[in-house]
Amino acid sequence: MIKEKIVEELNIEGLTADSVAEVPENFTGDYSIPCFPLAMKLGKNPAQIAKEIVEAFNNEASKSNGANKDKCVIEKLENVGPYINVTLNRNVVASEVDADKLNFDDYNGKVACVEFSSINLAKHPHIGHLCTTIIGACIAKIFEKVGYKVVRINYLGDYGTPFGKMITAFKKWGNKEEVEKIGVDALQDLYVKFCANENEELLSEAREWFKKIEEKDAEAVELYNWIIKISFNEIKHIYNLLGISFDDYNGESYYEGKRDEVIAELKAKNLVFESDGALLVDLNAYGLGNFMVLKSDGTSLYSTRDLAAAIDRKKKYNFDRSLYVTDTAQNLHFKSVFKTLELMGYDWAKDLTHINYGRLSTPQGKIASRRGKVAVLKDIFEVAETRAYEVVKERNLDKQVATDIGVSAISFGLLKTERIKDAVFDIESALNFDGETSVYLQYMNARLNSIFAKAKEQGLVAGEMVDGYKVNDDEFAIIKQIDLYKEMIFDAYKDCEPCYIARYALKLATLFSKFYNNHSILNGEKSEIQFRLGLCEKVKIVLVDCMNLLGVKVIEKM
């Protein structure tokens, strides 16, 4: 990374690459170093420090008569008040930056569990599940990128009274052949019918059926497993579209079997008290209130099962980090889970992180659903594919390309916004070829492929920069952006923030587009063509890498 080279060449105690920033507009130079941190350490005026550093550097350069200038990334230093502006030697930087050498092995050997998606199988997955699924999948890839072995966990909502309601509705009004033919829509209709006719008698039957599931009654378990299978088929289709898979599908039913161990441990460590027959953990001293772990009727809650899941995953995977990707509404819940585990004596509780996000909605009426007021995933993906096909059919592209464009638009449209912010997803805007969209990235990749195809036809090949070549402004802007890739990835890792990658990719694509429009790539001197083709190859490597991390399908021709 060029920032590290700058620090190495200046050799100033206390100066780090993190201190090097881009130069603000209207100032000369490529990077700027604020001297305020150094002033605190040295007890000097920051403007004086900047002046002394620049003078020392220039004196050293004049002594060596420029002997090493051709090998240094720093061409010139200038002090602007308390700042040092750095002008880079473009040719040296261009030769240093290599997209193939951007290694990301800092966390090799470490394990991260990432829990995301976690669909409730008793009902249609809806727009609220998009964020956890897409953000979680991207964060898992980011952790893999920096070296972690990632365990992807889908904590399925496959337990509770809703399944008793579903069985009750099926027994009263359902038809097995119809359900198997129609699928989850038929189950949802039965569930809606139950809710519309809900009374104490129906609720009593539902509770009884759920009790039978818990007691392993043969008929109840058979119906329960059948409902699970049908419900899961729909979400499997969406996972396949998104290219997402999981290593662990253990859901609520699995951890319900481990709840007694947790309750016994909490009691043994005197961490619970009884109130009206319920068991609670007192977290008032930490501003978290009372945390219920067992209801008065003896049934467990999310809290009990989440405690059991965390302990089980530590035993099973010995993770270094464990992430839970859910919305901001669960902030208090996870703070309470983590604090309870800490009080239980698990020092690894500090390695647990809740990755929260804001709400996602769609413009009114854009994705209507016959299945209810909330748009369900099935509808969203169907609309995305249909709209995408309308956009690309004039380009003679096939249905699969339309599907890839539509699915990518959903992923990118969500990830380009800071995850904590509420967002409105508009499929029409997301399919714009000229906007800040996944289609724009896909089109730029296709344009690069077209350049390479024409170069091959003409017998032109990429090569290294030759002596005497003068790197222009547009080329250098791309080179600097590629150099920032590794830094950006680690920022995305530290903040668990996919939008950094989306913004970076858009900027790289825009810089390439400007370069493409301002300069001929396949015409000119041989050295010029070779260098520019090599630069195009670097752009493609990094752009495709960004697209893969973001779940944007790479389309070769558009």
Side-chain angles (χ1 to χ4, degrees):
M1 289 167 62
I2 299 306
K3 289 184 181 182
E4 291 170 346
K5 288 279 187 180
I6 292 170
V7 171
E8 182 184 319
E9 289 180 13
L10 289 176
N11 192 26
I12 300 169
E13 186 177 354
L15 181 64
T16 65
D18 292 336
S19 305
V20 182
E22 288 195 66
V23 171
E25 288 185 24
N26 304 320
F27 283 88
T28 58
D30 298 296
Y31 287 106
S32 182
I33 302 170
C35 292
F36 303 103
L38 294 173
M40 292 176 66
K41 290 180 181 178
L42 300 174
K44 289 184 178 182
N45 181 290
Q48 181 63 29
I49 292 173
K51 183 180 179 183
E52 290 175 1
I53 290 172
V54 170
E55 287 177 352
F57 180 85
N58 290 336
N59 287 337
E60 187 63 33
S62 63
K63 284 179 189 175
S64 62
N65 296 318
N68 296 317
K69 187 176 179 182
D70 291 341
K71 297 179 182 179
C72 295
V73 298
I74 299 175
E75 183 168 280
K76 183 176 71 172
L77 292 186
E78 178 186 8
N79 63 293
V80 182
Y83 296 89
I84 300 169
N85 284 359
V86 182
T87 299
L88 299 173
N89 184 321
R90 294 186 172 189
N91 283 31
V92 173
V93 171
S95 63
E96 288 281 347
V97 175
D98 189 340
D100 286 321
K101 293 178 181 176
L102 294 173
N103 299 318
F104 298 86
D105 56 0
D106 295 53
Y107 294 94
N108 277 358
K110 292 189 178 293
V111 176
C113 290
V114 184
E115 179 195 305
F116 63 102
S117 197
S118 303
I119 300 295
N120 293 316
L121 293 178
K123 56 188 78 170
H124 266 300
H126 55 75
I127 191 169
H129 293 108
L130 259 184
C131 288
T132 174
T133 302
I134 291 172
I135 292 174
C138 184
I139 288 173
K141 288 180 181 177
I142 292 170
F143 269 65
E144 279 183 332
K145 184 71 181 173
V146 299
Y148 278 86
K149 176 187 176 183
V150 174
V151 181
R152 291 167 171 80
I153 298 173
N154 195 339
Y155 183 62
L156 294 172
D158 59 357
Y159 196 74
T161 308
F163 291 94
K165 293 180 179 180
M166 197 78 80
I167 292 175
T168 301
F170 174 73
K171 294 290 284 185
K172 285 189 173 298
W173 308 297
N175 177 282
K176 188 171 184 179
E177 288 73 22
E178 183 178 330
V179 171
E180 289 187 339
K181 180 181 178 181
I182 298 174
V184 73
D185 282 351
L187 288 176
Q188 189 73 8
D189 288 343
L190 288 171
Y191 191 81
V192 169
K193 191 168 185 177
F194 179 99
C195 295
N197 293 278
E198 190 174 296
N199 55 44
E200 191 52 45
E201 183 182 341
L202 275 176
L203 285 172
S204 179
E205 281 189 53
R207 285 191 287 266
E208 185 60 32
W209 273 110
F210 180 59
K211 186 179 178 184
K212 287 181 179 180
I213 293 171
E214 289 186 302
E215 294 171 346
K216 309 299 182 188
D217 174 83
E219 183 185 10
V221 170
E222 183 181 350
L223 286 169
Y224 166 73
N225 289 333
W226 177 66
I227 290 168
I228 290 289
K229 182 180 178 183
I230 289 171
S231 300
F232 193 66
N233 281 340
E234 178 177 320
I235 194 60
K236 239 168 80 176
H237 170 66
I238 292 168
Y239 290 149
N240 288 338
L241 281 174
L242 291 168
I244 294 173
S245 61
F246 294 89
D247 307 294
D248 186 329
Y249 281 100
N250 287 331
E252 292 183 74
S253 61
Y254 177 81
Y255 290 110
E256 175 62 19
K258 296 180 179 293
R259 66 94 183 258
D260 290 343
E261 299 171 30
V262 173
I263 297 300
E265 186 175 349
L266 287 167
K267 287 179 177 178
K269 292 177 178 177
N270 296 315
L271 292 173
V272 289
F273 68 95
E274 189 174 327
S275 176
D276 296 326
L279 286 182
L280 303 99
V281 180
D282 183 359
L283 299 178
N284 284 283
Y286 310 98
L288 301 173
N290 291 324
F291 187 47
M292 186 180 292
V293 293
L294 200 66
K295 293 180 183 177
S296 57
D297 62 3
T299 56
S300 65
L301 302 97
Y302 280 115
S303 55
T304 331
R305 295 189 282 273
D306 278 339
L307 291 169
I311 295 168
D312 181 67
R313 290 169 191 170
K314 182 62 179 179
K315 290 177 182 175
K316 190 181 295 181
Y317 301 116
N318 193 26
F319 57 73
D320 298 279
R321 296 281 306 276
S322 187
L323 314 180
Y324 299 78
V325 185
T326 70
D327 67 17
T328 54
Q330 296 197 42
N331 284 354
L332 177 60
H333 169 76
F334 280 106
K335 284 179 182 177
S336 300
V337 169
F338 301 163
K339 178 54 70 174
T340 300
L341 287 164
E342 180 187 328
L343 294 175
M344 292 171 77
Y346 294 115
D347 60 353
W348 47 262
K350 68 182 185 307
D351 303 321
L352 308 177
T353 309
H354 176 213
I355 308 299
N356 55 3
Y357 53 81
R359 292 185 176 181
L360 180 68
S361 59
T362 59
Q364 188 65 31
K366 288 293 177 90
I367 303 180
S369 173
R370 73 174 184 83
R371 304 169 179 91
K373 292 182 180 179
V374 179
V376 301
L377 295 193
K378 188 174 182 180
D379 294 317
I380 294 169
F381 280 90
E382 285 176 359
V383 169
E385 289 180 69
T386 301
R387 296 281 198 280
Y389 186 65
E390 290 170 0
V391 169
V392 303
K393 64 183 178 182
E394 295 177 3
R395 295 172 178 261
N396 296 318
L397 299 173
D398 60 29
K399 268 275 194 180
Q400 184 57 52
V401 172
T403 297
D404 289 344
I405 288 174
V407 170
S408 300
I410 292 171
S411 292
F412 190 83
L414 192 154
L415 294 174
K416 74 177 183 179
T417 304
E418 285 180 64
R419 61 176 167 79
I420 200 63
K421 290 184 178 179
D422 293 346
V424 177
F425 173 70
D426 184 356
I427 188 62
E428 276 78 14
S429 298
L431 291 171
N432 191 330
F433 272 75
D434 298 318
E436 295 186 339
T437 65
S438 56
V439 191
Y440 180 62
L441 301 183
Q442 290 167 323
Y443 180 64
M444 286 302 152
N445 178 67
R447 176 172 279 179
L448 281 160
N449 285 343
S450 175
I451 291 169
F452 297 142
K454 289 177 182 176
K456 186 176 180 180
E457 287 175 6
Q458 298 174 35
L460 302 173
V461 295
E464 297 299 321
M465 182 175 54
V466 300
D467 290 340
Y469 186 84
K470 188 171 177 60
V471 177
N472 65 45
D473 291 346
D474 293 334
E475 292 166 342
F476 196 55
I478 291 173
I479 290 164
K480 285 198 295 180
Q481 183 70 359
I482 290 172
D483 178 61
L484 290 172
Y485 186 52
K486 187 170 184 177
E487 179 183 337
M488 179 277 298
I489 288 291
F490 278 103
D491 285 343
Y493 158 72
K494 285 182 286 186
D495 295 342
C496 290
E497 186 52 86
C499 81
Y500 296 172
I501 303 172
R503 292 171 183 172
Y504 174 93
L506 287 169
K507 184 173 180 181
L508 179 62
T510 301
L511 290 173
F512 168 71
S513 180
K514 183 182 178 184
F515 164 65
Y516 176 85
N517 290 327
N518 290 346
H519 308 281
S520 174
I521 296 173
L522 302 181
N523 294 301
E525 296 291 329
K526 182 180 178 182
S527 60
E528 188 175 61
I529 294 169
Q530 286 181 337
F531 174 74
R532 290 179 176 174
L533 278 174
L535 188 59
C536 287
E537 287 181 347
K538 292 175 182 179
V539 171
K540 181 176 173 64
I541 288 169
V542 176
L543 185 63
V544 168
D545 205 38
C546 287
M547 291 166 71
N548 286 333
L549 289 169
L550 295 165
V552 174
K553 308 284 185 179
V554 177
I555 297 171
E556 301 304 330
K557 185 178 180 182
M558 291 178 71

